[in-house]
Amino acid sequence: EKAQRTYGSTLNHRYARASGFILDTQAGWFQTTEDKDKWKLAYKVAADGSSAPDKRTLEPESKSDRTWTASSAAALPLRALLWQELKFGASFRARGRVRDKDRFEVSPAGAVKFTGESKDRYRLQEDYSAAFLQDRLRLTEKLSVTPGVRFERVRLLTASSGGPAAPRYFNDLNPSAHLLYRVARNWSLRAAVSRGLARPKFDELAPYENVSSTKIVIGNPDLNPARAWNYDAGFDYATRLATFSVNGFRKTIRGVIEEVDTGLDRDGRDVFRVENAGDGWTSGIEFEQRFRMPSTAPRWARIFSFWSNQTLLVSNLKAANGQQRPFKEQPRWIANLGADVSDERFGTSVSLMCNLLSRRYDYKPNGDVSSFAGSSSLDLAVYQRIRGNWRLFLEGNNLANRQRVLDENFLNGTMNRRTEVFGRTVLAGVQVSF
């Protein structure tokens, strides 16, 4: 039994001058609290087939997350020697988590025994700060280049009931460069190279256990960020009625973060641990299309537009044990398509979206192979202006009520199939902007 509540607020301010100088500033605060009670009753089966209640386990848990953010970015056009647009800014984020969990075991006679562990109570604090500088230089009417650099610093503090760990610090300097060449009015070529990173999620850093219907995932406070060099090249074709683009990319990644099978089994569930699994690369090609109705179409038809995108993927990971395989659960292809309706006269906006995902594989160290069957999802978003800046909204996810199927093919030739039903999600409310 779980109850979760989220509160938050954001403040945005935009300052603009006629000279082209723009300053955007944001600040926010969010808090999520979660209370969860888990009960488990075990039975013993006697030789005659009868069953009797055995021990009970009780696990009350409470968790609280707090996040404070602040950022500011400025854009300043310059005409020194050649046309430039200078951008610079800084951001700060402080995140904290407190988790308290107890474990009790009650014998059939009613005796209560505390079975909690030090990892059940922990605290996390992450302080993040960053600054960036970027300059877009228009070398000719058709050619522009945008170099930039971003510096990030993170301090991570973890503590459990066993005591605090030594603070960890991460400093990263991430350069980038983007090239744009306008071949013709409707055609553009693009290329880019950049260094980036993916930091572990808070849940992955916590000394916790996350139990789902199919597996148990253990956190790892010693995780490092995954760092990558990114290379992109592509072209765009755009008119008032149609847009078409193609982009190829390759990422070389050091310290890929993945859930690694520990080989343990608990209560019929595989036990995984989040680790920096190894180094690898992923490559792919992306296609995007959008079509808008022409002005010569009937008035009722002009409010429609249609879009789609597709991605083809391939990857390779060299794990710490020397094994080479694709990234865990990475699909071979992804496709999205949808239709938008926007009528400004009545303040109505409708979007219908469909997501398609190919089968995804998970190769276990012992030779077992698990795979998630190909899946699809149908989503809908409706916005209706009531008056002024007031709008009603309705959002629905997985409207077709599709299930998730996991096939497990074991080395001994046996197979297991698990089906997870998570149902539809509908969110409705009122939105006001001022």
Side-chain angles (χ1 to χ4, degrees):
E1 181 179 352
K2 180 171 71 174
Q4 188 180 67
R5 298 159 296 275
T6 300
Y7 312 91
S9 62
T10 59
L11 178 67
N12 301 275
H13 179 259
R14 181 180 175 88
Y15 174 77
R17 297 294 300 270
S19 61
F21 176 77
I22 298 175
L23 179 65
D24 283 312
T25 303
Q26 298 88 30
W29 167 83
F30 302 92
Q31 176 175 323
T32 298
T33 59
E34 180 181 296
D35 295 307
K36 181 167 62 175
D37 293 324
K38 181 180 177 182
W39 296 64
K40 184 164 64 175
L41 177 60
Y43 292 83
K44 276 190 175 179
V45 181
D48 61 0
S50 62
S51 60
D54 192 34
K55 65 181 180 181
R56 290 175 293 161
T57 57
L58 316 176
E59 297 181 5
E61 175 185 342
S62 64
K63 184 169 63 177
S64 175
D65 284 4
R66 290 183 176 88
T67 303
W68 296 265
T69 64
S71 64
S72 188
L76 177 63
L78 300 173
R79 298 296 184 270
L81 299 180
L82 52 100
W83 185 93
Q84 303 177 59
E85 184 180 31
L86 185 66
K87 293 183 178 181
F88 53 93
S91 62
F92 305 92
R93 182 183 67 229
R95 295 195 301 173
R97 169 176 292 181
V98 177
R99 182 219 195 190
D100 290 313
K101 180 178 181 179
D102 291 316
R103 299 172 188 253
F104 301 96
E105 185 176 284
V106 184
S107 70
V112 179
K113 177 184 176 182
F114 180 75
T115 59
E117 302 177 13
S118 61
K119 65 183 179 182
D120 292 336
R121 299 174 183 271
Y122 66 80
R123 282 165 171 74
L124 286 176
Q125 178 67 39
E126 181 189 69
D127 298 323
Y128 169 91
S129 58
F132 80 94
L133 176 65
Q134 178 181 290
D135 192 10
R136 182 185 173 195
L137 304 168
R138 184 182 294 174
L139 304 179
T140 69
E141 287 298 319
K142 294 184 175 182
L143 179 64
S144 63
V145 61
T146 308
V149 63
R150 181 182 183 88
F151 175 75
E152 299 184 4
R153 177 177 174 83
V154 171
R155 185 185 70 156
L156 180 65
L157 299 172
T158 61
S160 65
S161 57
R168 302 181 67 199
Y169 296 89
F170 302 94
N171 297 308
D172 288 279
L173 192 65
N174 299 320
S176 64
H178 300 261
L179 185 71
L180 174 64
Y181 181 69
R182 299 193 179 278
V183 180
R185 179 181 177 183
N186 298 324
W187 286 89
S188 298
L189 299 178
R190 294 176 285 100
V193 58
S194 63
R195 185 179 185 270
L197 53 88
R199 300 194 182 279
K201 301 175 184 177
F202 239 29
D203 282 339
E204 295 171 337
L205 287 167
Y208 80 117
E209 291 183 359
N210 184 20
V211 181
S212 69
S213 59
T214 59
K215 63 184 179 181
I216 299 173
V217 181
I218 302 174
N220 183 1
D222 296 323
L223 279 176
N224 292 315
R227 296 175 171 88
W229 280 99
N230 310 304
Y231 308 91
D232 297 83
F235 70 88
D236 300 312
Y237 173 78
T239 66
R240 194 182 66 83
L241 298 180
T243 301
F244 178 74
S245 64
V246 178
N247 185 70
F249 66 88
R250 182 179 177 89
K251 299 176 184 288
T252 58
I253 309 171
R254 180 166 52 90
V256 176
I257 299 174
E258 284 190 346
E259 296 175 5
V260 176
D261 192 348
T262 64
L264 302 176
D265 185 274
R266 189 189 306 166
D267 298 330
R269 298 179 176 92
D270 295 326
V271 180
F272 290 77
R273 177 180 168 90
V274 185
E275 294 183 0
N276 293 106
D279 303 331
W281 56 264
T282 179
S283 299
I285 186 168
E286 302 165 316
F287 305 90
E288 184 174 356
Q289 311 85 36
R290 179 175 289 274
F291 176 73
R292 307 168 188 84
M293 299 299 290
S295 57
T296 55
R299 185 163 186 166
W300 62 266
R302 295 178 212 160
I303 63 177
F304 290 89
S305 62
F306 306 90
W307 57 268
S308 66
N309 56 68
Q310 309 82 33
T311 303
L312 305 177
L313 294 163
V314 62
S315 64
N316 182 76
L317 173 70
K318 186 176 181 180
N321 60 4
Q323 180 190 28
Q324 296 199 37
R325 57 168 175 80
F327 286 7
K328 285 180 180 289
E329 300 184 21
Q330 184 183 71
R332 299 290 180 87
W333 57 266
I334 306 169
N336 299 282
L337 62 152
D340 298 331
V341 178
S342 180
D343 193 335
E344 291 295 333
R345 294 175 302 165
F346 301 103
T348 304
S349 175
V350 180
S351 294
L352 184 65
M353 299 150 282
C354 180
N355 168 259
L356 305 171
L357 204 63
S358 71
R359 182 174 288 271
R360 295 162 288 156
Y361 293 88
D362 183 2
Y363 300 89
K364 307 294 181 64
N366 62 358
D368 298 341
V369 179
S370 298
S371 65
F372 289 98
S375 62
S376 62
S377 177
L378 183 65
D379 305 325
L380 176 69
V382 180
Y383 292 86
Q384 176 60 55
R385 185 176 67 240
I386 307 172
R387 185 177 181 180
N389 296 326
W390 291 78
R391 294 199 305 173
L392 294 174
F393 69 86
L394 175 68
E395 298 177 355
N397 295 320
N398 192 33
L399 297 180
N401 197 24
R402 297 300 300 267
Q403 303 172 350
R404 191 165 85 156
V405 177
L406 173 64
D407 293 321
E408 297 174 307
N409 296 281
F410 301 105
L411 192 61
N412 61 12
T414 60
M415 176 183 172
N416 187 42
R417 169 165 286 185
R418 303 180 183 182
T419 301
E420 181 179 349
V421 181
F422 49 90
R424 304 176 180 89
T425 302
V426 178
L427 176 67
V430 178
Q431 183 185 78
V432 59
S433 58
F434 54 89

